Amino acid sequence: MQSKERVAFCTRSFDCTIDFLTFCAYHEAYKICLSFTRNGMHLYAIILAGGSGTRFWPLSRARLPKQFLVLQGTQSLLQATTSRITPLIPPSDIYVVTAAHLQAQTMSQLPEMPAANILTEPIGRNTAAAVGLAASYLMMLDPQAMMVVLPADHAIADHTAFCESLQQAALAVDHANLLMTLGVQPTFPATGYGYIQAGDSLAIPTAPLVRQATRFTEKPPAEVASQFVASQQYLWNCGIFVWRAATIVEELSMHMPELAHKLKAYVPAWQAGATAETLYASYAQLPNVPIDIGVLEKSSRVGVLPVMWAWSDVGSWRALSELHPQDEMGNVTVGQHIGRETTGAIIYSPERLVVTIGVSDLIVVQTDDVLLICSKEHDQEVREIVQFLQQRGDTNYL
């Protein structure tokens, strides 16, 4: 879809029209965007890569979390995320926040990235802490830093449209010092995603599609999700943000003062090379809160940019249906599969042949040491098996 079509489609979805002047403003903004980083706008990327991806067990393990998995093509999800952002931001200005025990593996996956750009957490404390840590670090390097915050493990096919959207969001931040979110136009009433209600236009000349974010709703029930989609006022919250480092630090101080205070003590110790035990004890005290809940739901300066490109959070095995083509029976296969009277199955077995007869809507995952079989409707429960193994102390399969 060309840029003009994306603009028209986006605005029609929110029951408004786009006139010629607004259209020209969009393309004038895009021309500005093309020279965005060249003009010294202090743009950096922060990739959040601290998750474990337990819903992708048994492929995802403690030492091979979701962001390192190759689920499509030849790149891991982390590598694909980095490649997606590099047309806009060079590797020297891309930073990854990850767990300390995954530092070496992250560096191995991203050899083009300076080692100093891998920022480690001694223990995971959710996205507010990770964002606060990265923002504090960037402010020491560049007080004018603007940061694009990205999950490491999502899938977005249209890299060009993705970078265009980030450029638009960055222009909005530059113009109005907003906390910008990207909101994906929903294609069905998903219950596994958060939603953002888009309000009035913020009338930003260089980013005319930006709207006020008026409400955040986390994973609504099916009936509510259907109402959201029917209203044409709600967008999926894809967890991609743009803001100035100084602004998010200020907002953390306002809305999460305990976290902000403890980070101020942690960052100097971290930079001074304190012992692993000291850093762990300090970081473990940080509140375990997502940035959406801790800041965005409370702040009055949040904007949202509606986007039309296809997006998946690759949240569970069912997501393979979004990443790979289906056969005439609706089956998705990664590896080897012979199916007879088999419909709607997802098969992941790169090394061994899987044969199914007379089954429907199954997920079959085969690794060297585990065979997982479950129905699609229960795929979210895979994480409960991981918890069960943890409680049992069966580390061989974790």
Side-chain angles (χ1 to χ4, degrees):
M1 184 180 293
Q2 297 301 310
S3 296
K4 180 177 179 179
E5 293 170 340
R6 271 197 299 274
V7 173
F9 196 173
C10 250
T11 51
R12 283 200 304 272
S13 297
F14 288 90
D15 193 27
C16 61
T17 58
I18 186 163
D19 59 23
F20 179 74
L21 291 177
T22 305
F23 173 75
C24 290
Y26 177 88
H27 282 277
E28 185 62 28
Y30 179 59
K31 286 190 289 183
I32 296 172
C33 289
L34 292 177
S35 60
F36 198 77
T37 52
R38 292 197 300 271
N39 289 342
M41 295 299 289
H42 307 270
L43 195 60
Y44 300 84
I46 303 297
I47 299 175
L48 304 182
S52 57
T54 54
R55 284 173 292 187
F56 269 92
W57 184 88
L59 188 61
S60 178
R61 305 288 178 99
R63 293 290 174 180
L64 189 70
K66 177 186 165 189
Q67 63 264 25
F68 295 143
L69 301 183
V70 179
L71 298 176
Q72 182 185 36
T74 60
Q75 291 184 311
S76 71
L77 292 171
L78 173 61
Q79 290 168 331
T81 298
T82 305
S83 297
R84 191 180 306 129
I85 195 68
T86 49
L88 182 62
I89 302 174
S92 60
D93 292 332
I94 300 174
Y95 292 79
V96 178
V97 181
T98 192
H101 71 277
L102 298 174
Q103 181 180 20
Q105 196 168 356
T106 302
M107 292 171 59
S108 177
Q109 287 237 333
L110 303 174
E112 72 282 2
M113 189 176 295
N117 290 23
I118 311 300
L119 311 180
T120 60
E121 298 178 292
I123 181 175
R125 300 305 292 164
N126 221 306
T127 55
V131 166
L133 177 66
S136 300
Y137 183 80
L138 284 183
M139 285 186 64
M140 292 189 296
L141 298 179
D142 181 356
Q144 300 181 64
M146 185 187 298
M147 53 196 288
V148 176
V149 181
L150 307 163
D153 52 7
H154 291 184
I156 299 168
D158 193 339
H159 294 189
T160 300
F162 171 72
C163 285
E164 287 179 16
S165 297
L166 291 179
Q167 291 164 337
Q168 286 287 297
L171 284 170
V173 172
D174 187 57
H175 179 87
N177 198 21
L178 297 168
L179 302 180
M180 280 299 304
T181 67
L182 269 56
V184 176
Q185 187 73 34
T187 55
F188 66 97
T191 58
Y193 297 156
Y195 287 76
I196 305 170
Q197 185 178 28
D200 294 335
S201 170
L202 291 178
I204 298 175
T206 53
L209 300 183
V210 172
R211 296 173 173 271
Q212 183 77 40
T214 59
R215 179 186 179 190
F216 287 78
T217 303
E218 182 65 19
K219 297 180 180 179
E223 181 179 356
V224 175
S226 296
Q227 293 170 357
F228 283 176
V229 175
S231 75
Q232 298 187 343
Q233 296 178 5
Y234 286 82
L235 303 162
W236 286 335
N237 182 0
C238 64
I240 298 173
F241 313 112
V242 185
W243 46 53
R244 294 196 184 280
T247 302
I248 194 63
V249 168
E250 176 186 335
E251 292 281 322
L252 285 167
S253 297
M254 184 184 307
H255 302 295
M256 300 187 68
E258 180 187 358
L259 183 142
H261 177 74
K262 290 180 176 178
L263 269 178
K264 284 182 180 179
Y266 176 84
V267 170
W270 174 51
Q271 288 296 290
T275 65
E277 292 79 9
T278 298
L279 294 178
Y280 184 96
S282 175
Y283 207 77
Q285 297 178 31
L286 299 182
N288 187 1
V289 179
I291 191 71
D292 313 58
I293 295 174
V295 173
L296 299 182
E297 292 183 3
K298 303 170 184 175
S299 176
S300 60
R301 66 201 309 176
V302 183
V304 59
L305 175 68
V307 300
M308 294 301 301
W309 27 261
W311 161 82
S312 172
D313 72 340
V314 196
S316 67
W317 283 109
R318 293 184 73 166
L320 289 190
S321 296
E322 302 167 6
L323 305 181
H324 296 276
Q326 302 179 11
D327 65 18
E328 65 278 4
M329 302 301 289
N331 301 309
V332 172
T333 300
V334 178
Q336 306 176 68
H337 175 226
I338 296 174
R340 293 290 183 268
E341 298 183 21
T342 297
T343 60
I346 295 175
I347 310 295
Y348 183 92
S349 182
E351 304 298 331
R352 299 177 185 177
L353 175 65
V354 171
V355 179
T356 57
I357 302 173
V359 298
S360 298
D361 298 325
L362 283 184
I363 295 172
V364 179
V365 179
Q366 182 135 262
T367 66
D368 290 342
D369 57 346
V370 174
L371 172 63
L372 168 69
I373 302 173
C374 74
S375 67
K376 283 183 175 179
E377 64 180 301
H378 292 286
D379 73 328
Q380 298 291 325
E381 298 172 29
V382 170
R383 66 166 79 182
E384 297 176 14
I385 300 300
V386 176
Q387 294 169 358
F388 173 78
L389 292 171
Q390 291 171 337
Q391 292 168 1
R392 201 169 73 172
D394 201 342
T395 58
N396 291 333
Y397 300 109
L398 299 172

